[in-house]
């Protein structure tokens, strides 16, 4: 767990994780100067959660990675002669104590002769844990299961659906709450859970995939400032803060934990605001309240929220979305039933059918087809093509092709449901030759 930037260690950025369970347990990190620290989760009880940090030179780090230095000596024989013990209480930073490295209690130290090369085990060992878990299905009751053996299984990367229901039950009770995980990792963390009626356990794969894809696109859109145009993709500088990674499936349910890829160590960088807005939108049922809420976000967020609620409805499941953000000591949570998602989608679809805006355009009428009701106008800088409005058909029929005209064109932004890409649909509403009276 990283201390906040205001701590005596200064701002730290996660570098390499060697052991992870709910959050990084053994890892390296860097400070603002590029210097490395090795950190290990040493001790946890009802009073505090303790982590040991030791500064490493490049040479020392290389020795550690190559197996020439064990973890015990990396801390006990610190190059500077001291280590920092970082204390957390109830998931939040408490204090840092600096002490001589040769005075650390052995009971919170890594065992002697434990090397990184032996900790990072080959992937083949997964099979043994998976087989044990499967065979244990009928052999244990929860209260008889040895916690140490359960944790040994949990440390392996065995797929959750292969693990005994007994072990699954234990793991579900051990899962770290999202707000605690967020504080520990300095990332926004969210749980996306689908619950079906009558304990059904099947969700269409395509529907599940669509839900995850639309979740990412919605968070990207909500991360944008409310002002700003619709043209062009979301900038990469902003998108890096809203990019989500799936970090763990939920045992025995259709649920996935996701977190922002980048750490949020210096306050809200877009991802936090986006997830907070997403939770608030999911909780709204009243159309007037939802309309007001969508007026305070970027225009493209309306389109992506429409696709998101449609994806929820197609799963046939009720959605529970809970999130934790660094620095917030409570869980942000909202839920939506499948039928509610369908109702919200129908309302949003009617709103989206309206044009975003009308533009006035001067250009040459290149082509027109009354049969297909299409037009093409262009000038030296840009061109517009699309449908001709019903009320404009007679007007267009009287205009000469290849002449300069001034037109009023309705613009509506829509989404490609398969790719999530945005595109503009244009409708010709009024047109007149430049020497005629301009359309009003």
């Amino acid at each position: 767990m990283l201390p906040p930037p205001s701590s005596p260690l200064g701002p730290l950025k996660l570098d390499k994780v060697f052991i992870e369970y709910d959050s990084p347990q053994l890892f390296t990190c860097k400070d603002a100067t590029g210097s490395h620290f090795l950190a290990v989760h040493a001790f946890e009880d009802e009073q505090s959660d303790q982590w040991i940090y030791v500064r490493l030179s490049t040479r020392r780090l290389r020795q550690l990675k190559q197996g020439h230095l064990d973890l015990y000596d990396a801390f006990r024989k610190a190059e500077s002669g001291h280590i920092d013990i970082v204390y957390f209480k109830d998931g939040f930073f408490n204090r840092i104590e600096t002490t001589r490295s040769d005075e650390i209690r052995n009971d919170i130290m890594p065992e002697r002769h434990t090397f990184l090369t032996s900790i990072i085990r080959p992937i083949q060992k997964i099979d043994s844990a998976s087989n044990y878990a499967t065979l244990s299905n009928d052999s244990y009751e929860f209260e008889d299961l040895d916690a140490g053996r359960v944790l040994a299984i949990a440390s392996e990367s065995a797929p959750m659906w292969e693990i005994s229901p007994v072990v699954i039950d234990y793991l579900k009770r051990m899962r770290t709450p999202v707000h605690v995980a967020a504080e520990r990792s300095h990332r926004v963390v969210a749980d996306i859970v689908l619950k079906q009626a009558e304990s059904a356990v099947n969700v269409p794969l395509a529907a599940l995939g669509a839900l995850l894809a639309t979740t990412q696109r919605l968070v990207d859109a909500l991360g944008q400032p409310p002002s700003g145009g619709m043209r062009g993709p979301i900038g990469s500088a902003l998108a890096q803060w809203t990019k989500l990674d799936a970090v763990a499936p939920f045992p025995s349910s259709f649920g996935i934990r996701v977190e922002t890829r980048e750490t949020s160590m210096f306050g809200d960088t877009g991802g936090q605001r986006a997830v907070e807005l997403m939770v608030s939108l999911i909780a709204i049922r009243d159309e007037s309240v939802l309309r007001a809420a969508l007026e305070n976000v970027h225009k493209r967020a309306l389109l992506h929220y429409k696709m998101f609620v449609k994806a929820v409805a197609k799963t046939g499941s009720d959605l529970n979305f809970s999130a934790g953000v660094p620095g917030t000591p409570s869980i942000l949570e909202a839920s939506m039933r499948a039928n509610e998602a369908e109702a919200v989608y129908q309302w949003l679809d009617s709103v989206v059918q309206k044009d975003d805006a009308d533009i006035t355009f001067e250009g040459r009428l290149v082509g027109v087809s009354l049969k297909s009701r299409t037009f093409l106008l262009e000038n030296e800088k840009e061109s517009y093509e699309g449908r001709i409005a019903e009320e404009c058909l007679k007007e267009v029929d009287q205009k000469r092709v290849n002449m300069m005209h001034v037109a009023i064109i309705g613009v509506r932004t829509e989404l490609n449901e398969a790719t999530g890409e945005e595109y503009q649909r244009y409708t010709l509403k009024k047109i007149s030759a430049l020497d005629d009276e301009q359309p009003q």
Side-chain angles (χ1 to χ4, degrees):
M1 184 185 297
L2 296 174
S6 58
S7 79
L9 295 181
L12 299 176
K13 183 175 182 179
L14 197 63
D15 178 41
K16 177 72 174 178
V17 177
F18 302 108
I19 297 178
E20 181 162 2
Y21 183 73
D22 281 335
S23 64
Q25 302 294 304
L26 176 67
F27 58 90
T28 54
C29 55
K30 295 180 180 179
D31 64 12
T33 67
S35 297
H36 283 89
F37 288 84
L38 176 67
V40 65
H41 190 185
F43 182 74
E44 182 175 7
D45 60 17
E46 295 181 356
Q47 302 299 319
S48 66
D49 195 6
Q50 300 174 27
W51 299 70
I52 305 177
Y53 280 71
V54 62
R55 189 181 294 270
L56 297 175
S57 65
T58 302
R59 180 182 64 85
R60 187 87 157 180
L61 180 59
R62 184 169 58 251
Q63 290 177 335
L64 191 68
K65 290 181 176 180
Q66 293 175 349
H68 301 312
L69 176 71
D70 69 7
L71 290 171
Y72 180 88
D73 284 341
F75 289 99
R76 177 66 74 191
K77 301 177 181 179
E79 292 169 294
S80 63
H82 72 269
I83 54 91
D84 296 290
I85 303 179
V86 182
Y87 290 83
F88 291 82
K89 186 174 178 61
D90 298 325
F92 295 90
F93 174 73
N94 182 261
R95 67 186 190 279
I96 292 180
E97 292 182 358
T98 300
T99 185
R100 289 172 53 93
S101 59
D102 58 4
E103 294 179 352
I104 316 174
R105 302 190 338 255
N106 272 330
D107 61 327
I108 65 171
M109 286 279 289
E111 293 184 5
R112 294 177 183 271
H113 310 301
T114 301
F115 296 88
L116 281 182
T117 50
S118 63
I119 288 176
I120 306 173
R121 292 168 290 181
I123 195 71
Q124 288 83 348
K125 289 196 175 183
I126 290 174
D127 292 339
S128 60
S130 176
N131 292 339
Y132 163 73
T134 303
L135 292 173
S136 68
N137 187 25
D138 300 321
S139 305
Y140 294 92
E141 296 296 333
F142 177 79
E143 56 269 20
D144 296 328
L145 193 64
D146 178 76
R149 301 185 76 179
V150 172
L151 292 176
I153 297 168
S155 67
E156 301 283 359
S157 300
M160 284 299 162
W161 53 84
E162 293 183 9
I163 296 180
S164 160
V166 174
V167 179
I168 286 173
D169 187 40
Y170 185 90
L171 292 177
K172 288 173 72 174
R173 301 185 192 193
M174 294 291 291
R175 191 168 68 240
T176 303
V178 285
H179 64 303
V180 176
E183 193 65 27
R184 288 179 176 178
S185 63
H186 293 276
R187 291 177 169 86
V188 179
V189 180
D191 286 346
I192 305 170
V193 182
L194 296 175
K195 296 181 179 180
Q196 292 189 304
E198 300 178 359
S199 300
V201 294
N202 59 306
V203 174
L205 186 61
L208 181 62
L211 175 64
L212 298 177
T214 55
T215 296
Q216 177 64 78
R217 293 165 189 160
L218 176 58
V219 171
D220 288 340
L222 290 172
Q224 288 190 273
S227 60
M230 294 287 288
R231 284 184 172 245
I234 298 173
S236 58
L238 176 64
Q240 68 170 325
W241 299 108
T242 56
K243 194 66 64 181
L244 300 174
D245 288 327
V247 294
F250 288 171
S252 76
S253 68
F254 281 95
I256 291 180
R257 174 162 290 187
V258 299
E259 66 180 17
T260 50
R261 182 171 299 176
E262 298 291 337
T263 57
S264 303
M265 298 179 64
F266 304 100
D268 181 21
T269 51
Q272 177 176 330
R273 176 179 181 272
V275 171
E276 289 174 342
L277 286 171
M278 184 172 177
V279 172
S280 65
L281 288 176
I282 293 172
I284 298 174
R285 299 292 179 271
D286 183 87
E287 291 180 5
S288 61
V289 177
L290 183 56
R291 184 188 297 275
L294 290 171
E295 289 176 353
N296 293 319
V297 299
H298 194 278
K299 290 182 179 179
R300 61 168 33 108
L302 185 151
L303 300 173
H304 288 284
Y305 188 55
K306 170 192 165 186
M307 292 296 101
F308 171 77
V309 294
K310 183 179 182 180
V312 174
K314 283 192 171 183
T315 66
S317 306
D318 298 339
L319 171 74
N320 183 268
F321 188 92
S322 57
V325 297
T328 302
S330 58
I331 297 175
L332 308 175
E333 190 168 14
S335 60
M336 176 181 286
R337 296 184 180 278
N339 62 334
E340 293 173 335
E342 178 64 30
V344 173
Y345 168 73
Q346 294 298 336
W347 178 78
L348 288 172
D349 192 45
S350 67
V351 173
V352 170
Q353 292 302 319
K354 302 175 182 177
D355 291 337
D356 300 334
D358 290 343
I359 61 172
T360 301
F361 177 77
E362 291 185 7
R364 186 166 57 92
L365 182 60
V366 177
V368 61
S369 171
L370 297 179
K371 183 177 181 180
S372 62
R373 298 185 178 184
T374 57
F375 75 95
L376 172 60
L377 283 159
E378 68 176 17
N379 58 26
E380 294 180 354
K381 295 182 178 180
E382 54 189 341
S383 64
Y384 290 92
E385 60 180 312
R387 301 283 291 177
I388 303 172
E390 180 73 31
E391 62 272 17
C392 191
L393 284 172
K394 288 185 179 180
E395 201 173 346
V396 171
D397 190 29
Q398 299 170 6
K399 305 306 175 187
R400 295 174 59 186
V401 175
N402 290 324
M403 299 295 292
M404 293 297 291
H405 292 77
V406 57
I408 292 180
I409 301 172
V411 182
R412 185 188 346 172
T413 304
E414 297 186 356
L415 287 180
N416 181 317
E417 291 191 30
T419 64
E421 294 181 354
E422 301 166 10
Y423 64 94
Q424 276 69 45
R425 188 183 295 276
Y426 303 107
T427 302
L428 181 62
K429 295 183 174 181
K430 288 183 179 293
I431 186 169
S432 63
L434 275 178
D435 53 359
D436 296 340
E437 181 181 353
Q438 292 191 7
Q440 301 296 319

